[in-house]
């Protein structure tokens, strides 16, 4: 059911309920007011009869000449004087007589001589004697009936009018939403500039349009990133595939010597290995999009992990006499996935060794928590450092500090992106900068394992 119709029906139902409640309350109050008016006239009439009896005695009464019912009776039910309508029988039952005899003025509505009658009973000046007077309710009943008919006849049209007005009002209120729906439907996946018109009303509709435009901007940015990622991945894969194909074509040529075939197969194997590494890195980044489930965090002795990473990096840098120094407290423990964290450290150490001068030292340090919620791991080299324009983009995919560098030396530009994905999956952050005295520094901020609910520090220092 359309929202506009639901709103109209709901408003009509609310209007019907309001008319019913208000009408019932008005009728009830009207009945009370009419009865009070009748009771006032009955009090005056009863007082007049009591005064007449007190002055002239019971024998002077001529109740038959009165058009309204009246009766004098005793507490035990003996009728002393009565109008013909009551036919000489007591107008009150024993319980009512006892209640009036106790000093209470009793009023009620009953059927007397097949007519609705308002009755009032009270004591007289004579002990044990009661007076009962009544009057017909024809006029008051007619007034109440007229009001009731007016409510019954006027209520349904009022409900219909209210529902129709709600239909028009809902249509006017939802018209901007329908316009935004059409505009959203017209925005295609290739449209990089379309946005919703924000009405100048500064209300919830305007806020919705603003939020939708922000969402469209985020979606466009995501599409641009994904297209760039696919294009970069295709570009990176194209070169090793082309080289692999060329090597295989050369190997397939007739007249090739055994040494030439072995060289071609070895070159093809290297390109295949590069393809495997690139595919694994792309798969790792895709899995990292899944968030924290990408890692399996357990309490991990950090000194052992850093020492193992340094040992592997020393083997990599041995041909250039580049070594790795570890500075980490022996008892420092971090809640992390040791395999993923080791992979991030290996990427950073490999980059640092590659860009370090011959014979230099790469510093790998883990600091005691500088805040209650975080610790920091830093990797520093003594090379040329990052180009200043590269630092804001250091952790983006397929970004290389030197785009002119040979691919076999500079890599595909996924190493730092993998580092950031791993650290963010742990709830931390990775930052890069140049050291004031030279060289590059990459800092990994991780939640401290002793807290039940670690939080990322509000201020990070590299």
């Amino acid at each position: 059911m359309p929202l506009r119709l639901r709103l109209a029906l709901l408003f009509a139902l609310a209007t019907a309920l309001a008319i019913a409640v208000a009408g019932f309350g008005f009728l009830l109050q009207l009945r009370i007011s009419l009865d009070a008016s009748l009771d006032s006239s009955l009090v005056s009439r009863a007082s007049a009869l009591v005064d007449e009896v007190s002055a002239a005695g019971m024998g002077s009464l001529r109740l038959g000449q009165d058009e309204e019912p009246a009766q004098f009776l005793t507490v035990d039910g003996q009728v002393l004087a009565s109008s013909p309508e009551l036919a000489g029988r007591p107008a009150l039952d024993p319980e009512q007589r006892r209640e009036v005899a106790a000093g209470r003025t009793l009023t009620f509505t009953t059927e007397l001589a097949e007519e609705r009658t308002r009755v009032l009973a009270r004591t007289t000046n004579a002990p044990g004697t009661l007076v009962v007077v009544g009057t017909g309710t024809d006029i008051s009943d007619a007034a109440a009936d007229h009001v009731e008919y007016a409510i019954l006849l006027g209520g349904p049209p009022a409900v219909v009018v209210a529902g129709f007005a709600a239909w028009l009002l809902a249509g006017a209120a939802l018209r901007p939403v329908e316009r935004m729906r059409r505009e959203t439907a017209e925005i295609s996946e290739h449209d990089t500039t379309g946005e919703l018109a924000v009405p100048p009303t500064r209300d919830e509709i305007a806020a919705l349009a603003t939020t939708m435009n922000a969402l469209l901007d985020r979606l466009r940015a995501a599409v641009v990133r994904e297209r760039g990622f696919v294009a970069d991945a295709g570009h990176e894969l194209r070169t090793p595939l082309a080289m692999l194909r060329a090597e295989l074509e050369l190997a397939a040529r007739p007249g090739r010597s055994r040494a030439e075939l072995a060289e071609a197969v070895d070159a093809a194997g290297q390109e295949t290995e590069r393809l495997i590494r690139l595919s694994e890195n792309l798969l790792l980044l895709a899995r990292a999009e899944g968030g924290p489930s990408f890692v399996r965090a357990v309490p991990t002795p950090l000194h052992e992990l850093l020492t193992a990473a340094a040992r592997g990096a020393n083997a990599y840098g041995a041909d250039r006499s580049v070594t790795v120094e570890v500075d980490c407290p022996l008892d420092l423990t971090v809640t992390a996935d040791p395999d993923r964290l080791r992979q991030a450290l290996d990427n950073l150490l490999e980059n640092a060794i590659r860009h370090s001068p011959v014979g230099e030292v790469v510093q790998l340090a883990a600091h005691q928590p500088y805040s209650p919620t975080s610790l920091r791991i830093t990797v520093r080299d003594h090379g040329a450092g990052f180009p200043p324009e590269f630092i804001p983009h250091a952790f983006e995919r397929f970004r290389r500090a030197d785009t002119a560098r040979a691919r076999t030396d500079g890599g595909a530009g996924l190493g730092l992106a993998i580092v950031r994905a791993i650290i963010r999956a742990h709830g931390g952050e990775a930052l890069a900068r140049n050291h004031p005295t030279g060289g590059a520094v990459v800092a990994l901020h991780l939640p401290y394992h002793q807290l039940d609910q670690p939080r990322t520090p509000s201020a990070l220092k590299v």
Side-chain angles (χ1 to χ4, degrees):
M1 183 183 296
L3 177 60
R4 183 180 182 183
L5 180 58
R6 292 204 305 269
L7 290 174
L9 292 178
L10 182 62
F11 194 81
L13 179 61
T15 302
L17 183 62
I19 291 176
V21 172
F24 176 79
F26 180 76
L27 280 175
L28 181 61
Q29 185 61 39
L30 178 62
R31 291 272 185 193
I32 293 174
S33 299
L34 293 173
D35 288 342
S37 177
L38 294 176
D39 291 345
S40 177
S41 64
L42 290 175
V43 168
S44 300
R45 182 164 170 243
S47 299
L49 289 176
V50 170
D51 292 341
E52 183 179 349
V53 170
S54 299
M58 193 71 66
S60 63
L61 288 176
R62 297 292 183 269
L63 298 181
Q65 300 176 356
D66 199 342
E67 296 180 355
E68 301 290 348
Q71 186 179 77
F72 282 86
L73 70 164
T74 63
V75 176
D76 57 6
Q78 181 181 358
V79 177
L80 303 178
S82 177
S83 60
E85 292 87 348
L86 300 180
R89 56 183 176 82
L92 303 177
D93 60 34
E95 184 177 353
Q96 292 173 332
R97 294 196 298 270
R98 287 192 298 270
E99 189 174 351
V100 175
R104 177 186 173 187
T105 300
L106 183 65
T107 57
F108 58 93
T109 302
T110 186
E111 291 284 341
L112 292 180
E114 300 181 354
E115 292 185 3
R116 277 176 50 85
T117 304
R118 184 69 176 174
V119 177
L120 180 143
R122 50 161 288 189
T123 58
T124 66
N125 297 332
T129 303
L130 312 178
V131 62
V132 178
V133 293
T135 184
T137 61
D138 296 344
I139 297 177
S140 61
D141 289 343
D145 290 341
H146 285 311
V147 173
E148 184 176 354
Y149 292 151
I151 293 174
L152 292 177
L153 293 176
V159 171
V160 173
V161 171
F164 183 69
W167 168 270
L168 297 177
L169 182 61
L174 295 175
R175 192 172 297 115
V177 178
E178 175 62 20
R179 175 181 51 77
M180 286 191 291
R181 185 197 65 78
R182 291 195 303 269
E183 292 176 354
T184 304
E186 292 172 357
I187 297 176
S188 67
E189 60 178 319
H190 302 291
D191 188 357
T192 58
T193 59
E195 64 178 15
L196 305 181
V198 180
T201 52
R202 297 184 179 181
D203 56 6
E204 290 79 0
I205 302 298
L208 175 61
T210 302
T211 303
M212 290 291 293
N213 284 333
L215 175 61
L216 289 173
D217 291 339
R218 292 195 298 271
L219 291 177
R220 291 192 192 98
V223 169
V224 171
R225 287 196 303 270
E226 291 303 318
R227 288 176 179 171
F229 177 74
V230 172
D232 290 338
H235 180 72
E236 295 293 334
L237 290 171
R238 181 178 60 185
T239 299
L241 286 172
M243 296 180 66
L244 178 60
R245 179 180 178 181
E247 294 293 344
L248 293 176
E249 288 178 349
L250 289 173
R253 289 181 179 179
R256 303 276 289 180
S257 66
R258 182 179 180 86
E260 289 174 334
L261 287 174
E263 182 180 357
V265 170
D266 181 65
Q270 293 179 7
E271 293 301 326
T272 303
E273 182 65 26
R274 184 181 173 195
L275 281 172
I276 292 174
R277 289 197 306 270
L278 182 57
S279 300
E280 289 177 346
N281 289 338
L282 291 174
L283 179 60
L284 186 148
L285 288 173
R287 292 180 58 194
E289 298 293 337
S293 60
F294 167 65
V295 298
R296 297 291 183 267
V298 295
T300 302
L302 195 56
H303 186 274
E304 296 180 9
L305 183 66
L306 267 59
T307 301
R311 190 182 302 115
N314 283 331
Y316 174 76
D319 58 340
R320 301 178 58 248
S321 300
V322 178
T323 59
V324 179
E325 288 185 354
V326 176
D327 179 14
C328 177
L330 295 175
D331 58 348
L332 190 58
T333 301
V334 63
T335 301
D337 185 327
D339 295 331
R340 295 301 182 192
L341 186 56
R342 171 66 187 274
Q343 183 177 7
L345 292 174
D346 288 345
N347 286 353
L348 293 179
L349 291 174
E350 181 179 344
N351 286 342
I353 291 173
R354 185 188 303 122
H355 297 96
S356 292
V358 175
E360 278 291 353
V361 175
V362 174
Q363 296 170 335
L364 174 61
H367 303 269
Q368 289 279 5
Y370 65 89
S371 77
T373 61
S374 173
L375 60 85
R376 180 175 59 186
I377 302 173
T378 58
V379 177
R380 181 197 172 190
D381 62 52
H382 293 79
F386 297 116
E389 67 277 4
F390 172 74
I391 293 178
H393 310 285
F395 296 98
E396 295 179 6
R397 299 168 180 175
F398 301 109
R399 285 278 188 171
R400 287 184 289 271
D402 185 1
T403 56
R405 190 191 311 274
R407 293 180 185 274
T408 56
D409 183 32
L414 294 176
L416 291 179
I418 291 174
V419 170
R420 182 178 66 174
I422 291 174
I423 299 305
R424 284 186 173 180
H426 284 83
E429 187 56 272
L431 301 175
R433 70 174 178 90
N434 288 325
H435 198 275
T437 60
V441 181
V442 177
L444 309 179
H445 297 264
L446 292 170
Y448 191 41
H449 78 284
Q450 291 182 348
L451 291 182
D452 293 334
Q453 298 292 335
R455 302 186 305 272
T456 302
S458 57
L460 301 180
K461 301 178 181 178
V462 178

